Amino acid sequence: MKIKDIITILNARLLTPQADLEQEVHTACGSDMMSDVLAYVKDQSALITGLTNPQVVRTAEMMDMICIVFVRGKHADDTIVNLATQRNIAVLQTPYSMFTACGMLYEHGLRGGGEKQ
Amino acid sequence: MSFLPLHFTVSGYDFTCAGEASSKVKNKLKQLGYDSEAIRRAAIAMYEGEINMVIHGGGGEIFVEVYPDHIDIKMADKGPGIENIEQAMQEGYSTAPANVRALGFGAGMGLPNIKKYTDSLRIESEIGKGTTIYMTVQVNHS
Ligand SMILES: Nc1ncnc2c1ncn2[C@@H]1O[C@H](COP(=O)(O)OP(=O)(O)OP(=O)(O)O)[C@@H](O)[C@H]1O
Ligand SMILES: [Mg+2]
């Protein structure tokens, strides 16, 4: 699915207006532990998290992720938004909880990356 | 053999800036046209090391040497040192305090991730003196 689809599905607000919403998101990862996120190298993923600090953006950057979704309407400050904008990472804010947001994306066909089958 | 040396000083107090050095190295490697998989491995390993320097080591210095076929990263801090390196290398082992966990770190996955993403890893540590991590990432040319 595309970033714009995630916005629709999660009724999300886009915090980085310059982002290219046509980019394809192949896999996603939901976590509040950054080293868990960093344990799987996988292309073009989205990160769904309840954490809002600059290290979330850095983690996404190291992973070449293109989209971050903050759950439960968590507030992301200017530092986070600016950091993400510089790195061409789209930042979204959804009112849904982590569980619900992940479930809705899964229901629409998005899958996790790098899982042991 | 020619190489590009890079040097960074990492603050032990500024969690917001943690990862800046890794970000710069990642951009440099991209500019130089390195393989994206190698860049990602080097960036993740260095980032984990940089975060450890900030949250456990009280800051320190990073020396990166970029060669055509590999990247050497040395990360040195003058922090408390690691008592049992073998234990520290285990997945899930962490001494990170609650305030660090609240920031999304302290899963005990950093050193195992570094091991996973690098082609060689050596840790030298002395209690009360500090920790130095040497890592190398090989670059496969396609
Ligand atoms: N530079 C360092 N100086 C002192 N102790 C360290 C250093 N790096 C790691 N350690 C010790 O090794 C443990 C394991 O490190 P590791 O990076 O694997 O996990 P973590 O940093 O606790 O959590 P995570 O990396 O998942 O956020 C740390 O909790 C800490 O006790
Ligand atoms: Mg760590």
Side-chain angles (χ1 to χ4, degrees), chain B residues 4-11 17 19-28 46 50 53 59-66 72-76:
Chain B
L4 176 72
L6 301 164
H7 174 245
F8 304 93
T9 304
V10 177
S11 158
C17 288
E20 215 156 73
S22 305
S23 173
K24 282 183 183 149
V25 169
K26 180 162 190 175
N27 279 331
K28 191 80 211 170
M46 181 173 165
E50 194 177 346
M53 279 182 119
E61 285 188 274
I62 306 177
F63 302 88
V64 181
E65 292 181 0
V66 180
D72 281 338
I73 303 167
K74 174 184 164 186
M75 316 186 85

Side-chain angles (χ1 to χ4, degrees), chain A residues 35, chain B residues 48 51-53 55-57 77 79-82 88 90 93-96 104-112 131 133:
Chain A
S35 288
Chain B
E48 289 282 16
I51 292 288
N52 280 354
M53 279 182 119
I55 64 180
H56 307 296
D77 68 57
I82 302 172
Q90 278 168 18
Y93 178 81
S94 175
T95 60
F105 292 90
M109 290 299 293
L111 290 174
T131 302
I133 299 184

Side-chain angles (χ1 to χ4, degrees), chain A residues 12-57:
Chain A
R13 201 154 75 86
L14 177 67
L15 304 181
T16 50
Q18 298 95 321
D20 172 11
L21 306 182
E22 295 298 325
Q23 289 182 92
E24 196 70 36
V25 172
H26 296 294
T27 56
C29 168
S31 181
D32 286 349
M33 286 310 250
M34 293 302 111
S35 288
D36 265 350
V37 176
L38 292 161
Y40 300 104
V41 191
K42 194 85 178 139
D43 246 333
Q44 300 264 3
S45 304
L47 172 59
I48 300 138
T49 185
L51 269 188
T52 48
N53 69 59
Q55 298 313 329
V56 174
V57 182

